[in-house]
């Protein structure tokens, strides 16, 4: 088999971007996965979902804009060659690394055609990355390997690596995929919830349910084996070194090994939750004075493993029993089959939280999935949307990027779909921050608007949605205002256009 040319990946990427049909996207991607050699699969899968296999390789827009290599007339660069160069770039550091990085990039770009240069530029600057496309790629891997899509999805959620999952599917089929299990110390994608219109609706969906507080904290996943503890965010970023108080607490739990899912937040002196930004400020900070001033309190709501027993496939009722054995006072407040669910919601709101979660006691832990087994009930409608652009302000906001263009995620892997604009709710501090930040991730601009890479997630409060021909999705937000930015979320975690349409009232 001849080595796969980068041009084949570039062509496929363009075809996927050009169609709105999920079926066509899957067929295009599956054909490339089938054609790739075993040693190329990892890079092919990574490139087509918009990221190098090495993650960030220390190369940004400024460096790439200075490469200055004229494009080649014919395609000759292979996928493996690109992957090797990116691997070298990722290893460079220290004195002389800037010069070596420029030389490597110039050599690579000089061999690439104009279309390949554009693809590489976007790949290395993060402009190609579309987390929503990951789901389409998983279906494509299943089609290429002729295995059930659910087996591919489960293996991916347990392995955490698309390249590993793709290789297993192509070389070992369903048996290789089913060999993946939960591994203490390796994070799994968190299970997600869907919104419910009302508490009454949520309770009606489940014959037996757990109703617990929905806290305005940061999602954490805790792994412990003996004295070794690892703590991850919802995006699977490890933060162990910056949350030492949580590490000490987990080491003291009455078990030898455990994997817990939960929230963590900083509390005020009166026990009420501090602003979300205060909690997030601790992630990545190890300054002793900040740690002392902002101690984090964990609230666990699920147990995925306990003392050698994996519980992912056990019903929530069983996982909750294990949670109560190990987490003690650190369990999130709630009740099983409450006589008065409205009272639980009222208590949660009175304590300063967002609402409640209603969870089916019969449900297994569906890692990475947003289904109806977990329903979130919040008195105020909010959506997590992607910032697409911002317009320069007027009056006292002159010189500041103000009016946000907001997009909902396309569940079929396309670019975010615009659903509205808002400048409401922006404090002077946020205006200053976003004016600087947006220009760092700028793709292009006009006289009045700066268009950004679709990577920032912002939480928007709204009164609902209405039908509109102004936007491609046929729907627009009503009375939207900014609540906060969500640095704990990626664009792939944003709400979909379907979630916006669900707010329409016929």
């Amino acid at each position: 088999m001849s080595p796969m040319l980068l041009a084949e990946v570039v062509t496929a990427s363009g075809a996927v971007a050009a169609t709105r049909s999920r079926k066509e996207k899957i067929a295009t991607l599956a054909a490339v996965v089938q054609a790739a050699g075993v040693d190329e699969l990892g890079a092919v899968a990574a490139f087509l979902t918009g990221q190098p296999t090495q993650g960030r390789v220390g190369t940004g827009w400024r460096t790439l804009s200075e490469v200055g290599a004229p494009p080649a007339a014919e395609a000759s660069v292979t996928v493996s060659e690109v992957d090797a160069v990116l691997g070298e770039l990722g290893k460079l550091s220290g004195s002389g690394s800037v010069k070596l990085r420029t030389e490597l990039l110039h050599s690579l770009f000089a061999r690439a055609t104009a279309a390949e240069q554009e693809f590489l530029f976007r790949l290395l600057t993060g402009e190609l990355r579309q987390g929503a496309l990951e789901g389409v790629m998983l279906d494509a891997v299943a089609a290429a390997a002729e295995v059930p899509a659910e087996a591919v999805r489960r293996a991916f959620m347990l392995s955490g690596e698309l390249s590993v999952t793709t290789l297993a599917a192509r070389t070992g089929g369903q048996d290789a995929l089913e060999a993946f299990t939960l591994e203490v110390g390796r994070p799994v994608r968190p299970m997600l919830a869907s919104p419910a219109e009302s508490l009454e609706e949520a309770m009606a969906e489940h014959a037996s349910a757990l109703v617990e507080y929905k806290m305005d904290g940061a999602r954490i996943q805790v792994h412990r084996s003996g004295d070794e503890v690892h703590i991850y965010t919802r995006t699977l970023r490890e933060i162990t070194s910056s949350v030492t108080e949580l590490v000490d607490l987990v080491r003291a739990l009455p078990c030898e090994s455990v994997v817990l899912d939960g929230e963590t937040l900083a509390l005020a002196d009166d026990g009420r939750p501090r602003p979300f930004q205060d909690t997030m400020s601790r992630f990545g900070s190890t300054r002793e004075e900040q740690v002392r001033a902002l101690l984090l309190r964990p609230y666990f709501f699920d147990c995925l493993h306990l003392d050698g027993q994996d519980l992912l496939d056990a019903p929530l009722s069983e996982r909750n029993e294990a949670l109560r054995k190990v987490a003690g006072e650190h369990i999130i407040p709630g009740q099983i089959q409450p006589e008065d669910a409205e009272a639980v919601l009222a208590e949660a709101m009175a304590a300063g939280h967002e609402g409640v979660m209603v969870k089916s006691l019969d449900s297994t832990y569906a890692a990475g999935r947003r289904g109806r087994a977990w329903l979130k009930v919040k008195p105020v409608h909010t959506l997590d949307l992607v910032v697409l652009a911002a317009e320069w302000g007027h009056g006292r906001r002159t010189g500041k990027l103000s009016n946000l263009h907001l997009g909902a995620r396309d569940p079929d892997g396309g670019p975010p779909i615009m659903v509205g604009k808002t400048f409401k709710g922006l404090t002077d501090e946020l205006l200053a921050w976003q004016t600087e930040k947006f220009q760092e991730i700028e793709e292009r601009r006009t006289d009045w608007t700066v268009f950004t890479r679709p990577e920032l997630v912002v939480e928007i409060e709204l009164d609902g949605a209405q039908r509109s021909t102004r936007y491609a999705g046929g729907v627009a937000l009503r009375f939207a205002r900014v609540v906060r930015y969500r640095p704990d979320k990626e664009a792939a975690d944003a709400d979909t256009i379907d979630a916006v349409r669900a707010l329409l009232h016929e």
Side-chain angles (χ1 to χ4, degrees), residues 16 35 56 59 88 93 167 192 203 245 312 335 338 368 415 433 500:
V16 168
R56 294 184 180 275
T59 300
E88 289 299 313
S93 63
L167 182 63
L192 305 173
M203 295 298 292
E245 71 271 41
L312 280 174
Q335 294 182 35
W433 175 82
V500 181

Side-chain angles (χ1 to χ4, degrees), residues 59-70 101-110 117 121 124:
T59 300
W61 185 89
R62 180 168 306 214
T63 301
L64 289 167
S65 64
E66 296 173 354
V67 170
R101 181 172 283 110
T102 302
E103 290 174 354
L104 277 172
L105 287 168
H106 188 278
S107 176
L108 174 62
F109 273 65
Q117 284 188 353
F121 187 98
L124 292 171

Side-chain angles (χ1 to χ4, degrees), residues 126-393:
E127 293 179 23
L128 273 179
R129 179 163 173 74
Q130 294 182 53
L133 189 55
E134 232 167 40
V136 180
M137 174 58 82
L138 293 172
D139 286 341
V141 170
E146 298 182 346
V147 296
E150 190 55 42
V152 176
R153 290 179 182 278
R154 181 176 173 84
F156 172 60
M157 298 313 165
L158 291 170
S159 74
E161 296 185 37
L162 182 59
S163 58
V164 172
T165 306
T166 304
L167 182 63
R170 268 280 312 271
T171 59
Q174 189 167 349
D175 288 343
L177 294 171
E178 291 177 349
F180 287 100
T181 59
L182 188 150
E183 182 180 311
V184 179
R186 183 177 65 192
V188 300
R189 298 295 176 95
M191 184 169 175
L192 305 173
S194 295
E197 277 295 312
S198 66
L199 182 56
E200 182 181 11
E201 175 197 59
M203 295 298 292
E205 285 202 35
H206 302 312
S208 57
L210 166 65
V211 181
E212 60 191 20
Y213 290 13
K214 186 184 188 309
M215 293 185 165
D216 189 20
R219 189 82 174 262
I220 56 170
Q221 190 178 125
V222 167
H223 290 242
R224 173 187 161 192
S225 179
D227 285 336
E228 184 177 349
V229 174
H230 298 276
I231 300 178
Y232 304 93
T233 66
R234 66 177 293 135
T235 58
L236 311 189
R237 178 170 66 92
E238 185 163 6
I239 54 167
T240 308
S241 62
S242 61
V243 288
T244 53
E245 71 271 41
L246 299 185
V247 172
D248 292 341
L249 184 149
V250 173
R251 282 200 182 113
L253 296 177
C255 62
E256 283 299 315
S257 64
V258 72
V259 177
L260 298 171
D261 192 1
E263 298 270 342
T264 188
L265 39 78
L267 301 178
D269 292 340
D270 61 1
R272 294 174 67 82
R274 295 183 63 158
F276 176 79
Q277 289 82 355
D278 289 355
T279 297
M280 287 305 301
S281 71
R282 277 292 314 279
F283 290 7
S285 173
T286 56
R287 290 188 302 160
E288 188 174 344
E289 63 272 22
Q290 188 169 17
V291 171
R292 285 199 305 266
L294 278 176
L295 289 175
L296 296 176
R297 166 74 189 266
Y299 292 90
F300 299 115
F301 52 72
D302 219 320
C303 183
L304 313 186
H305 170 97
L306 181 60
D307 287 336
Q309 182 180 5
D310 291 345
L311 300 169
L312 280 174
D313 296 321
L316 176 58
S317 56
E318 186 177 328
R319 302 200 310 272
N320 190 257
E321 287 181 13
L323 178 68
R324 292 179 182 279
K325 288 179 184 176
V326 72
E329 63 179 333
H330 305 294
I331 294 177
I332 202 163
Q335 294 182 35
I336 294 175
Q337 287 294 94
E339 292 184 5
D340 188 351
E342 290 286 353
V344 180
L345 174 59
E347 291 168 4
M349 299 299 294
H353 301 297
E354 292 185 311
V356 294
M357 300 286 294
V358 179
K359 301 178 178 179
S360 169
L361 287 171
D362 298 324
S363 62
T364 58
Y365 192 93
R369 300 294 294 275
R370 189 187 300 277
R372 302 293 293 179
W374 289 8
L375 298 171
K376 52 187 176 183
V377 180
K378 298 165 63 174
V380 176
H381 285 306
T382 64
L383 292 170
D384 293 322
L385 300 173
V386 181
V387 175
L388 305 178
E391 299 169 7
W392 293 104

